[in-house]
Amino acid sequence: MMSAILVSILAVSCCKEKEEKFDTQKALDYCVEKTQKTISNLADVDSLPRNIYSNQTQWNKVGIEDWTSGFWPGILWYAYEASGDTMIEKEARKFTSLLEPLAYGEPLDHDLGFQIFNSYGNGYRLTKDSAYKEIIISTANKLSKLYNPKVGTILSWPVMVEKMNWPHNTIIDNMINLELLFSAAKNGGDQHLYDIAVQHAETCMHTLIRPDYSTFHVAVFDTIDGHFIKGVTHQGYADSSLWARGQGWGIYGYTMSYRETGKVEFLETAMKLADVFISRLPEDGIPYWDFNDPDIPNAPKDASAAAVAASGMLELSEFMKDESDKLKYRNAAIALLTKLSSPEYLSGDTNEAFLLHSTGHKPKGSEIDASIIYADYYYLEALLRLKKIENNDK
Ligand code: GLY
């Protein structure tokens, strides 16, 4: 009798363990299939998916100047990487080439990295097409025009200089744009693109990141002597609060900056940012849009923050020498992906996106509890990163 009970307990716990193991391939297949469906709905369209509100089923689209324009081509490149489907590759090339005009002229803002690295950067990584490399270098040179050597960062939003009286402003999101500069510098671009990226990451480490390793959204600097005036918010709840996606950008950006430079202080910063993110997560595992919104637990969630952080932490975990640190970041990322892949967050047949429940700009009242293209991009990127880790572990 006793042994029968024991066997059944073991059987239950063994099956439970099986049930609980995250199925990376299933999630990747879901993304590829949804991408194929969206492609067929987008035939002959030359604008790019950005968001879907809860009363809609299809992507609302934007032009190439929108800061999110690189995510759809990026998803196509990742879906091609995951599947080898040459029809998707054809679409990836088509939508990537739409963005070429962004490589020339004067920069409007810092988002060129999001736009061109996700599209042309992924395209170059997968195809080694030399024309893509030229676009990357040209755009990086254009982005570098926003660099202020007195401050040591790239200006994020020229439009906010007068509007908000932020003489030189740099947002935590801007860490992601550095990947374009690093990529250009190592593929034939000028060394100063690398130097600018390193200086930007260093300056932000001492200004956008607070002593407790939470982050400001915006750092405002003086243009006469370059000093840091104040940290404020634009998309978060308050100047002193912790905007969830901003913390995700920080984790992702400092991990990537470590990969590109080998500078240990960037790695340590990424770890501390990740520790804060993990420690502030609510019980159900997905962050609210801002960790300090007083409306919690009734505040909106942000699946995009979870996806960005998961992708960043998977890369971070691979740089860990200590096995327990490696497992800490890997398991935290898998926990985020598991929750995002549950019926609560997967869009399934609800709409064309992969994921539901992201928050774009709560203070402006826009994209609240919506499907947003960058949540899908970082979700798919994280799945591919996890798949590679699993394959290497075999
Ligand atoms: N880069 C803008 C955002 O994260 O919403």
Side-chain angles (χ1 to χ4, degrees):
M1 177 66 178
M2 198 56 197
S3 63
I5 292 172
L6 196 62
V7 167
S8 74
I9 289 172
L10 283 175
V12 168
S13 63
C14 140
C15 292
K16 201 160 176 249
E17 222 164 71
K18 252 193 190 147
E19 254 172 41
E20 282 172 6
K21 183 165 171 3
F22 181 65
D23 191 340
T24 313
Q25 190 56 50
K26 184 175 163 203
L28 280 169
D29 291 345
Y30 163 82
C31 293
V32 169
E33 201 183 306
K34 290 215 82 170
T35 304
Q36 287 160 334
K37 274 195 195 146
T38 299
I39 289 171
S40 57
N41 294 344
L42 282 179
D44 300 328
V45 166
D46 61 0
S47 48
L48 301 115
R50 167 156 179 160
N51 58 36
I52 310 174
Y53 290 99
S54 55
N55 57 346
Q56 302 174 320
T57 56
Q58 293 199 314
W59 288 109
N60 296 303
K61 296 170 203 76
V62 289
I64 64 166
E65 300 291 351
D66 190 272
W67 83 272
T68 64
S69 62
F71 290 112
W72 174 243
I75 286 172
L76 291 168
W77 286 117
Y78 281 144
Y80 165 56
E81 187 176 3
S83 65
D85 180 341
T86 51
M87 182 278 283
I88 301 182
E89 183 198 6
K90 203 171 123 241
E91 293 298 310
R93 286 184 181 275
K94 183 180 99 183
F95 279 96
T96 293
S97 67
L98 280 183
L99 272 54
E100 183 176 346
L102 297 174
Y104 316 111
E106 292 305 307
L108 295 177
D109 61 37
H110 70 144
D111 286 322
L112 291 163
F114 282 106
Q115 293 162 315
I116 294 297
F117 190 78
N118 298 346
S119 53
Y120 283 90
N122 278 309
Y124 183 62
R125 182 176 60 81
L126 293 172
T127 66
K128 294 291 171 237
D129 183 332
S130 60
Y132 287 1
K133 186 169 74 172
E134 295 313 314
I135 297 291
I136 290 168
I137 294 172
S138 172
T139 316
N141 287 331
K142 177 174 167 180
L143 177 61
S144 74
K145 292 184 191 171
L146 291 174
Y147 182 72
N148 181 329
K150 264 227 150 76
V151 175
T153 70
I154 293 159
L155 171 66
S156 287
W157 289 326
V159 72
M160 295 297 203
V161 168
E162 278 197 15
K163 191 171 167 195
M164 297 300 291
N165 192 19
W166 293 343
H168 181 93
N169 57 79
T170 297
I171 65 175
I172 187 71
D173 328 26
N174 202 338
M175 286 298 301
I176 310 303
N177 295 310
L178 305 184
E179 197 161 8
L180 180 77
L181 302 180
F182 286 127
S183 170
K186 70 183 176 199
N187 286 298
D190 200 284
Q191 167 71 20
H192 91 280
L193 298 170
Y194 175 94
D195 296 339
I196 285 173
V198 172
Q199 186 56 57
H200 180 107
E202 280 178 0
T203 306
C204 291
M205 209 164 57
H206 304 298
T207 52
L208 275 169
I209 300 180
R210 305 177 181 121
D212 66 357
Y213 287 91
S214 65
T215 45
F216 289 116
H217 184 197
V218 187
V220 180
F221 300 91
D222 181 72
T223 44
I224 311 290
D225 65 7
H227 80 271
F228 173 58
I229 300 172
K230 59 182 176 180
V232 292
T233 199
H234 181 65
Q235 278 165 264
Y237 172 72
D239 292 346
S240 60
S241 71
L242 182 53
W243 177 47
R245 194 164 57 256
Q247 194 76 6
W249 294 138
I251 297 165
Y252 190 109
Y254 278 96
T255 304
M256 176 274 294
S257 297
Y258 171 71
R259 181 222 303 150
E260 296 299 332
T261 65
K263 286 183 179 291
V264 176
E265 64 266 36
F266 294 161
L267 185 67
E268 287 168 350
T269 298
M271 290 168 72
K272 287 177 177 145
L273 294 171
D275 291 344
V276 168
F277 190 93
I278 294 167
S279 74
R280 301 284 304 267
L281 285 172
E283 211 169 304
D284 73 352
I286 298 295
Y288 293 96
W289 73 286
D290 188 303
F291 288 107
N292 294 98
D293 184 340
D295 281 346
I296 291 172
N298 299 316
K301 294 287 189 140
D302 186 8
S304 77
V308 171
S311 190
M313 286 196 282
L314 282 172
E315 178 164 49
L316 180 62
S317 72
E318 289 296 280
F319 293 132
M320 295 297 106
K321 295 206 171 73
D322 182 284
E323 192 62 19
S324 67
D325 285 335
K326 183 189 276 274
L327 283 179
K328 173 171 68 171
Y329 298 122
R330 186 191 291 186
N331 288 340
I334 292 173
L336 290 165
L337 291 176
T338 303
K339 187 73 188 186
L340 290 176
S341 307
S342 70
E344 199 182 337
Y345 282 89
L346 278 193
S347 78
D349 293 330
T350 310
N351 70 36
E352 287 182 316
F354 305 153
L355 296 176
L356 303 167
H357 308 312
S358 289
T359 296
H361 197 326
K362 173 83 164 47
K364 214 171 79 179
S366 87
E367 296 179 319
I368 298 168
D369 196 19
S371 290
I372 309 184
I373 193 75
Y374 44 84
D376 286 12
Y377 175 88
Y378 289 102
Y379 175 65
L380 178 50
E381 180 185 82
L383 293 172
L384 279 168
R385 286 181 171 182
L386 182 56
K387 188 76 191 167
K388 280 180 195 154
I389 291 170
E390 288 169 352
N391 287 343
N392 289 340
D393 279 358
K394 271 183 193 162

